[in-house]
Amino acid sequence: MIHEVFPVGPLQCNCSVLGDERTREAIVVDPGDDIEHVLAILQKHQLTVKQIAITHGHIDHIGGAMKLKAATGAPILMNEGDLEQLALLEIQAAWIGVEAPAPVKLDGLLQDAATITAGGLRATVIHTPGHTEGSSCLYLPAEKKLIAGDTLFAGSIGRTDLPGGSFDKIIDSLYSRVLALPDETIVIPGHGPATTIGEERQSNPFLMRK
Ligand SMILES: [Zn+2]
């Protein structure tokens, strides 16, 4: 599998390009900004985007989605729990001091346990509410990789003080769903460096409950 992770926008959201080496089809996760850069990565690997998957409705993750859709024709998918976040994009833009993007229109919903595909790539949706109600992770079982959005970071977890956030829910999502994955799973958080489930299980101060 081709997997490029690179930070986009002023908040340095990790955007992922996942590509099938055989069919040259791709899933782009969290194209928050810098769509020219995303398109250059796609071009470099000669990939065609089949799905634009959004881990949650914060502007730094979804801000460039409509631009990417206009350039590629691929559908935008997100969990319905974050529909209310889309109504707040202008307010979110003001918080971080960027221009408000054009309104985002979803083409489909990321349902819990659904599988999204591009060529031979398979990503399973794990709904992990807490950072926002619709926050979702994408798990690639063949690669043992988790794209975690802002649910889990190396050494920390997502903030829950923004609208729609819940500390109890994120802790429940992490213990009941994320920590259910094997230790060797590589975690690509929404911001910052990669980690593994085993590393976080051992040393993340939020996850050391016995
Ligand atoms: Zn967020």
Side-chain angles (χ1 to χ4, degrees):
M1 180 181 75
I2 296 162
H3 187 186
E4 295 249 18
V5 183
F6 47 97
V8 294
L11 297 187
Q12 300 281 280
C13 160
N14 283 328
C15 175
S16 274
V17 170
L18 306 161
D20 179 322
E21 285 157 307
R22 198 174 51 81
T23 67
R24 315 313 288 189
E25 292 172 307
I27 301 170
V28 177
V29 184
D30 287 355
D33 202 346
D34 300 339
I35 296 310
E36 295 73 18
H37 186 195
V38 178
L39 292 170
I41 300 267
L42 292 164
Q43 170 100 49
K44 178 177 112 180
H45 295 287
Q46 296 177 311
L47 293 169
T48 303
V49 184
K50 290 289 160 184
Q51 319 271 5
I52 300 169
I54 308 296
T55 60
H56 65 290
H58 281 159
I59 190 168
D60 51 324
H61 296 257
I62 199 174
M66 290 300 276
K67 254 195 199 173
L68 184 61
K69 177 179 162 178
T72 63
I76 303 173
L77 313 172
M78 188 186 74
N79 185 273
E80 68 182 324
D82 273 7
L83 287 174
E84 63 184 42
Q85 300 292 339
L86 299 187
L88 299 174
L89 281 181
E90 264 183 56
I91 297 170
Q92 294 185 35
W95 285 343
I96 65 169
V98 299
E99 211 178 300
V104 177
K105 201 178 147 292
L106 298 181
D107 300 289
L109 298 174
L110 285 183
Q111 311 274 13
D112 182 50
T115 300
I116 60 170
T117 64
L121 298 183
R122 298 265 174 288
T124 304
V125 178
I126 305 178
H127 182 215
T128 51
H131 174 63
T132 60
E133 184 55 36
S135 280
S136 298
C137 300
L138 289 176
Y139 179 55
L140 296 126
E143 316 279 334
K144 291 209 164 74
K145 266 188 185 175
L146 183 77
I147 298 179
D150 287 357
T151 296
L152 178 61
F153 300 117
S156 189
I157 64 173
R159 61 189 286 186
T160 55
D161 58 329
L162 296 171
S166 160
F167 185 76
D168 289 348
K169 281 189 185 178
I170 199 170
I171 289 295
D172 185 57
S173 291
L174 286 161
Y175 276 93
S176 68
R177 314 217 65 187
V178 176
L179 290 185
L181 297 170
D183 276 349
E184 61 269 30
T185 307
I186 295 164
V187 178
I188 312 293
H191 303 266
T195 181
T196 65
I197 292 292
E199 175 70 24
E200 297 312 305
R201 200 191 305 278
Q202 272 195 341
S203 65
N204 188 312
F206 294 92
L207 301 179
M208 293 170 71
R209 187 204 292 164
K210 291 289 172 244

